Coordinates of all heavy atoms in Angstrom, one line a residue:
D15 N 0.8 -1.2 0.0 CA 0.0 0.0 0.0 C 0.8 1.3 0.0 O 0.5 2.3 -0.6 CB -1.0 0.1 1.2 CG -2.1 -1.0 1.1 OD1 -2.4 -1.5 0.0 OD2 -2.6 -1.3 2.2
E16 N 2.0 1.2 0.7 CA 2.9 2.3 0.8 C 3.9 2.4 -0.3 O 4.5 3.4 -0.7 CB 3.6 2.3 2.1 CG 2.6 2.4 3.4 CD 3.4 2.3 4.6 OE1 4.6 2.0 4.7 OE2 2.7 2.4 5.7
Q17 N 4.2 1.3 -1.0 CA 5.2 1.2 -2.0 C 4.7 0.4 -3.3 O 5.2 -0.5 -3.7 CB 6.5 0.4 -1.5 CG 7.1 0.9 -0.2 CD 7.6 2.3 -0.4 OE1 8.2 2.6 -1.5 NE2 7.4 3.2 0.6
P18 N 3.7 1.1 -3.9 CA 3.1 0.4 -5.1 C 4.1 0.3 -6.3 O 4.0 -0.6 -7.1 CB 1.9 1.3 -5.4 CG 2.2 2.6 -4.8 CD 3.0 2.3 -3.6
E19 N 5.0 1.2 -6.3 CA 6.1 1.2 -7.4 C 6.9 -0.1 -7.3 O 7.1 -0.7 -8.3 CB 7.0 2.4 -7.5 CG 6.3 3.7 -7.3 CD 6.0 4.1 -5.8 OE1 6.6 3.5 -4.9 OE2 5.3 5.2 -5.7
L20 N 7.3 -0.4 -6.1 CA 8.1 -1.6 -5.9 C 7.4 -2.9 -6.2 O 7.9 -3.8 -6.7 CB 8.7 -1.6 -4.5 CG 9.8 -0.6 -4.2 CD1 10.3 -0.7 -2.7 CD2 11.0 -0.8 -5.1
A21 N 6.1 -2.9 -5.7 CA 5.2 -4.0 -6.0 C 5.1 -4.3 -7.5 O 5.2 -5.3 -8.0 CB 3.9 -3.8 -5.3
G22 N 4.9 -3.1 -8.2 CA 4.8 -3.2 -9.7 C 6.0 -3.7 -10.3 O 5.9 -4.4 -11.3
Q23 N 7.2 -3.2 -9.8 CA 8.4 -3.6 -10.4 C 8.7 -5.1 -10.3 O 9.3 -5.7 -11.1 CB 9.5 -2.9 -9.5 CG 11.0 -3.0 -10.1 CD 12.0 -2.2 -9.2 OE1 11.5 -1.1 -8.8 NE2 13.1 -2.8 -9.0
F24 N 8.0 -5.8 -9.3 CA 8.2 -7.2 -9.1 C 7.0 -7.9 -9.7 O 6.9 -9.2 -9.5 CB 8.4 -7.6 -7.6 CG 9.8 -7.3 -7.2 CD1 10.1 -6.0 -6.8 CD2 10.8 -8.3 -7.3 CE1 11.5 -5.8 -6.4 CE2 12.1 -8.0 -6.9 CZ 12.4 -6.8 -6.4
G25 N 6.0 -7.3 -10.3 CA 4.8 -7.9 -10.8 C 3.9 -8.5 -9.8 O 3.3 -9.6 -10.0
V26 N 3.9 -8.0 -8.6 CA 3.1 -8.6 -7.5 C 1.6 -8.3 -7.7 O 1.2 -7.1 -7.9 CB 3.5 -7.9 -6.1 CG1 2.6 -8.4 -5.0 CG2 5.0 -8.3 -5.8
M27 N 0.9 -9.4 -7.9 CA -0.5 -9.3 -8.2 C -1.4 -9.7 -7.0 O -2.6 -9.4 -6.9 CB -0.9 -10.2 -9.4 CG -0.1 -9.8 -10.7 SD -0.4 -8.2 -11.2 CE -1.8 -8.4 -12.2
S28 N -0.9 -10.6 -6.1 CA -1.5 -11.0 -4.9 C -0.5 -11.0 -3.7 O 0.7 -11.1 -4.0 CB -2.2 -12.3 -5.1 OG -1.3 -13.3 -5.4
I29 N -1.1 -10.9 -2.5 CA -0.1 -10.9 -1.4 C -0.6 -11.9 -0.4 O -1.8 -12.3 -0.4 CB 0.0 -9.5 -0.7 CG1 -1.4 -8.9 -0.4 CG2 0.8 -8.6 -1.6 CD1 -1.4 -7.6 0.3
P30 N 0.2 -12.4 0.4 CA 1.7 -12.2 0.5 C 2.4 -12.8 -0.8 O 2.0 -13.8 -1.3 CB 2.2 -12.8 1.8 CG 1.2 -13.9 1.9 CD -0.1 -13.5 1.4
T31 N 3.4 -12.0 -1.2 CA 4.4 -12.5 -2.2 C 5.7 -12.6 -1.6 O 6.2 -11.6 -1.0 CB 4.3 -11.7 -3.5 OG1 3.1 -11.9 -4.2 CG2 5.5 -12.1 -4.5
L32 N 6.4 -13.7 -1.7 CA 7.7 -13.8 -1.2 C 8.7 -13.9 -2.4 O 8.5 -14.7 -3.3 CB 7.9 -15.1 -0.3 CG 7.0 -15.1 0.9 CD1 7.0 -16.4 1.6 CD2 7.5 -14.0 1.9
V33 N 9.8 -13.1 -2.4 CA 10.8 -13.1 -3.4 C 12.1 -13.4 -2.8 O 12.5 -12.8 -1.8 CB 10.8 -11.7 -4.1 CG1 11.9 -11.7 -5.2 CG2 9.4 -11.4 -4.7
V34 N 12.9 -14.3 -3.4 CA 14.3 -14.5 -3.0 C 15.2 -13.9 -4.1 O 15.0 -14.2 -5.3 CB 14.6 -16.0 -2.8 CG1 16.1 -16.2 -2.5 CG2 13.8 -16.6 -1.7
M35 N 16.1 -13.1 -3.7 CA 17.1 -12.5 -4.6 C 18.5 -12.7 -4.3 O 18.8 -12.9 -3.0 CB 16.8 -10.9 -4.7 CG 15.4 -10.5 -5.1 SD 15.3 -8.7 -5.1 CE 16.3 -8.3 -6.4
K36 N 19.3 -12.8 -5.3 CA 20.8 -12.9 -5.0 C 21.5 -12.1 -6.1 O 21.1 -12.1 -7.3 CB 21.3 -14.4 -5.1 CG 22.7 -14.5 -4.8 CD 23.1 -16.0 -4.6 CE 24.5 -16.0 -4.1 NZ 25.0 -17.4 -3.9
N37 N 22.4 -11.2 -5.6 CA 23.2 -10.4 -6.6 C 22.3 -9.5 -7.4 O 22.5 -9.2 -8.5 CB 24.1 -11.2 -7.5 CG 25.1 -12.0 -6.7 OD1 25.6 -11.6 -5.7 ND2 25.4 -13.2 -7.2
G38 N 21.1 -8.9 -6.7 CA 20.3 -8.1 -7.4 C 19.3 -8.7 -8.4 O 18.6 -8.0 -9.1
K39 N 19.2 -10.1 -8.5 CA 18.4 -10.8 -9.4 C 17.5 -11.7 -8.7 O 17.8 -12.3 -7.7 CB 19.2 -11.6 -10.4 CG 20.1 -10.7 -11.3 CD 20.8 -11.6 -12.3 CE 21.6 -10.8 -13.3 NZ 22.2 -9.5 -12.9
V40 N 16.2 -11.8 -9.2 CA 15.2 -12.7 -8.6 C 15.6 -14.1 -8.9 O 15.8 -14.5 -10.0 CB 13.8 -12.4 -9.2 CG1 12.8 -13.4 -8.7 CG2 13.4 -11.0 -8.8
V41 N 15.7 -14.9 -7.8 CA 16.0 -16.3 -7.9 C 14.7 -17.2 -7.9 O 14.6 -18.1 -8.7 CB 16.9 -16.8 -6.8 CG1 17.1 -18.3 -6.8 CG2 18.2 -16.0 -6.7
T42 N 13.8 -16.8 -7.0 CA 12.5 -17.5 -7.0 C 11.4 -16.5 -6.4 O 11.8 -15.6 -5.7 CB 12.6 -18.8 -6.2 OG1 11.4 -19.5 -6.3 CG2 12.9 -18.5 -4.7
Q43 N 10.2 -16.7 -6.8 CA 9.1 -15.9 -6.3 C 7.9 -16.7 -6.2 O 7.6 -17.5 -7.1 CB 8.9 -14.8 -7.4 CG 7.8 -13.8 -7.0 CD 7.9 -12.5 -7.8 OE1 8.9 -12.1 -8.4 NE2 6.7 -11.8 -8.0
T44 N 7.1 -16.5 -5.1 CA 5.9 -17.3 -4.9 C 4.9 -16.4 -4.2 O 5.2 -15.5 -3.5 CB 6.2 -18.6 -4.0 OG1 5.0 -19.4 -4.0 CG2 6.6 -18.2 -2.6
S45 N 3.6 -16.7 -4.4 CA 2.5 -16.0 -3.8 C 1.7 -16.9 -2.9 O 1.6 -18.1 -3.1 CB 1.5 -15.4 -4.9 OG 2.2 -14.4 -5.7
G46 N 1.1 -16.3 -1.9 CA 0.4 -17.0 -0.9 C 1.1 -17.4 0.4 O 2.4 -17.4 0.4
A47 N 0.4 -17.6 1.5 CA 1.0 -17.9 2.7 C 1.7 -19.2 2.6 O 1.2 -20.2 2.0 CB 0.0 -18.0 3.8
R48 N 2.9 -19.4 3.2 CA 3.6 -20.6 3.1 C 4.1 -20.8 4.6 O 4.5 -20.0 5.3 CB 4.9 -20.4 2.3 CG 4.7 -20.1 0.9 CD 4.3 -21.4 0.1 NE 4.2 -21.2 -1.3 CZ 3.0 -20.9 -1.9 NH1 1.9 -20.7 -1.2 NH2 2.9 -20.9 -3.2
P49 N 4.2 -22.1 4.9 CA 4.8 -22.5 6.2 C 6.3 -22.3 6.2 O 6.9 -22.1 5.2 CB 4.5 -24.0 6.3 CG 4.3 -24.5 5.0 CD 3.8 -23.3 4.2
K50 N 6.9 -22.2 7.4 CA 8.3 -21.9 7.5 C 9.2 -22.8 6.7 O 10.1 -22.3 6.0 CB 8.7 -22.0 9.1 CG 10.1 -21.6 9.3 CD 10.5 -21.5 10.7 CE 11.9 -21.2 10.9 NZ 12.3 -21.2 12.4
N51 N 8.9 -24.2 6.8 CA 9.8 -25.0 6.0 C 9.8 -24.8 4.5 O 10.8 -24.9 3.8 CB 9.5 -26.5 6.3 CG 8.1 -27.0 5.8 OD1 7.2 -26.1 5.6 ND2 7.9 -28.3 5.8
A52 N 8.6 -24.3 4.0 CA 8.5 -24.0 2.5 C 9.3 -22.8 2.2 O 10.0 -22.7 1.2 CB 7.1 -23.9 2.1
I53 N 9.3 -21.8 3.1 CA 10.1 -20.5 2.9 C 11.6 -20.9 3.1 O 12.4 -20.4 2.2 CB 9.7 -19.5 4.0 CG1 8.1 -19.1 3.7 CG2 10.5 -18.2 3.8 CD1 7.6 -18.2 4.8
L54 N 12.0 -21.7 3.9 CA 13.4 -22.1 4.1 C 13.8 -22.8 2.9 O 15.0 -22.7 2.5 CB 13.6 -22.9 5.4 CG 13.4 -22.1 6.8 CD1 13.5 -23.0 7.9 CD2 14.5 -21.0 6.8
Q55 N 13.0 -23.6 2.3 CA 13.3 -24.4 1.1 C 13.6 -23.4 0.0 O 14.5 -23.7 -0.9 CB 12.2 -25.3 0.6 CG 12.5 -26.7 0.9 CD 11.4 -27.7 0.4 OE1 10.2 -27.2 0.3 NE2 11.7 -28.9 0.2
M56 N 12.9 -22.3 -0.1 CA 13.2 -21.3 -1.2 C 14.6 -20.7 -0.9 O 15.2 -20.4 -2.0 CB 12.2 -20.1 -1.0 CG 10.8 -20.4 -1.4 SD 9.7 -19.0 -1.0 CE 10.2 -17.8 -2.2

C-alpha cells in the first residue's frame, strides 16, 4: 500500500508474495501464505 512502485516492479498481483534475490536478481518468487519449512526451502 505504501510502495506500489516496488510491488509493480516485481509484478506482485496478490499478497503475500515472497521473493528470494541474489546479486540483485530474482532467484524465486511465490504468492500465498507458506509454512516456515517451505520458505526455508526457497
Side-chain angles (χ1 to χ4, degrees):
D15 289 341
E16 296 174 358
Q17 302 298 321
E19 312 86 10
L20 289 177
Q23 189 176 322
F24 284 85
V26 173
M27 302 300 270
S28 63
I29 53 175
T31 290
L32 298 169
V33 176
V34 175
M35 298 180 69
K36 187 169 184 180
N37 300 324
K39 294 184 176 30
V40 174
V41 176
T42 186
Q43 182 168 333
T44 186
S45 294
R48 297 280 185 271
K50 184 177 179 182
N51 65 345
I53 297 171
L54 290 173
Q55 253 183 339
M56 291 173 67

